[in-house]
Amino acid sequence: MNDSTFSLSNRQVIVTGAGQGIGRALGEAIVQLGGRVVAVDLNAEALANLREALGPDRCATVAGSVADPAVAQQAIEAGVAAFGNVNGLVNNAGVTRTGMIDKMSIDAWQTVIDVHLSGSFYFLQALGRHLIARGKEGASSSGAIVNISSDAGRRGTIGQINYGTAKAGVLGMTMCAAREWARHDIRVNTVGFGVVETPMTETIRGEKFRDTYLQQIPLGRWGAAEEVVRPVCFLLSDAASYVTGQHLSVNGGYTIGL
């Protein structure tokens, strides 16, 4: 084994939610490892900034909502136009709409389900269709998909039943797709994050909840975006060529035993 095993030089990867936080760090890491990125985000300005930073030969962009099935197909087309093929995906885009169960609005429920669960399905389906069609044409159908879940999908969470439900659903999606598409050499895995230092976790990391959460993390600290994307890159790489249908927790030990 050598360093090339962990290279992403053979990967053209769609990354959703790539405009900031974990998504941006992931795009940067993929390019550093030799890969190319199709960055998807609602924020067109953030995408333009990312493309400038990574280089137009390494980064294509699509501005739009992952809750729109048409955007998933646009991302495939953008990747093919820019790089000739797409064979990787990280379903990372996310939103939160907090509320206790008895007070949660239907809109708050549906918005989170649409982005995290349906959005992940739309992109997974689009890439799978693309790769399977390539295989029928005699080209390689090999691909790697990483769905981003959360501790909320394994332990539950207070005030976010929409988010916890969606993230639990992602685990089932991973296992079903991994079983169906193994014969096409399309690997599908999940990475579940704990509390990572991003804008989405500012409330949890605030004074009110900080000590409660940190006491439950054996490593005793929050995760940094730059370090939690490394396991995702591993699963995208040939180093994980015999890994599919698995759920990897990247959370400082928060879910030990689960």
Side-chain angles (χ1 to χ4, degrees):
M1 186 174 67
N2 53 51
D3 290 344
S4 65
T5 307
F6 297 90
S7 169
L8 294 179
S9 61
N10 63 341
R11 291 288 175 209
Q12 290 72 235
V13 185
I14 296 171
V15 178
T16 67
Q20 65 175 358
I22 292 171
R24 183 182 175 98
L26 183 56
E28 293 169 345
I30 290 170
V31 168
Q32 288 170 4
L33 289 168
R36 299 170 181 85
V37 175
V38 181
V40 180
D41 201 282
L42 275 173
N43 189 330
E45 184 177 351
L47 288 177
N49 179 274
L50 178 64
R51 188 166 188 260
E52 182 178 357
L54 299 183
D57 60 328
R58 290 286 175 176
C59 180
T61 62
V62 175
S65 170
V66 298
D68 180 355
V71 174
Q73 186 56 39
Q74 290 169 18
I76 298 293
E77 293 170 358
V80 171
F83 311 127
N85 183 29
V86 181
N87 56 10
L89 166 66
V90 182
N91 275 315
N92 169 73
V95 296
T96 56
R97 297 289 187 273
T98 59
M100 303 303 281
I101 297 171
D102 57 317
K103 297 178 181 178
M104 181 169 288
S105 68
I106 297 301
D107 182 66
W109 167 268
Q110 198 63 54
T111 296
V112 172
I113 296 296
D114 286 347
V115 171
H116 288 275
L117 193 55
S118 296
S120 293
F121 170 72
Y122 298 148
F123 276 77
L124 177 143
Q125 182 186 59
L127 180 60
R129 284 174 170 171
H130 168 69
L131 291 173
I132 291 169
R134 278 178 54 83
K136 291 179 179 178
E137 295 171 355
S140 171
S141 62
S142 174
I145 297 171
V146 180
N147 295 318
I148 301 302
S149 185
S150 166
D151 292 339
R154 301 190 71 179
R155 290 191 51 170
T157 184
I158 295 173
Q160 290 187 319
I161 191 172
N162 46 7
Y163 183 77
T165 299
K167 289 306 191 183
V170 165
L171 303 180
M173 185 185 304
T174 289
M175 292 184 288
C176 291
R179 287 186 181 277
E180 281 196 29
W181 289 347
R183 64 193 178 96
H184 299 290
D185 196 23
I186 300 172
R187 298 182 293 103
V188 189
N189 293 287
T190 300
V191 170
F193 293 136
V195 181
V196 184
E197 293 180 299
T198 69
M200 271 187 65
T201 65
E202 285 180 355
T203 299
I204 290 175
R205 292 184 290 109
E207 186 176 344
K208 183 177 180 180
F209 300 108
R210 174 184 173 84
D211 291 342
T212 299
Y213 273 93
L214 283 177
Q215 288 170 7
Q216 299 177 69
I217 301 173
L219 287 182
R221 61 179 176 84
W222 313 124
E226 293 74 17
E227 66 180 336
V228 302
V229 301
R230 295 170 194 156
V232 179
C233 291
F234 160 71
L235 290 171
L236 290 171
S237 77
D238 290 341
S241 59
Y242 199 55
V243 181
T244 195
Q246 302 305 303
H247 312 312
L248 175 61
S249 294
V250 181
N251 56 17
Y254 182 66
T255 52
I256 288 175
L258 292 183

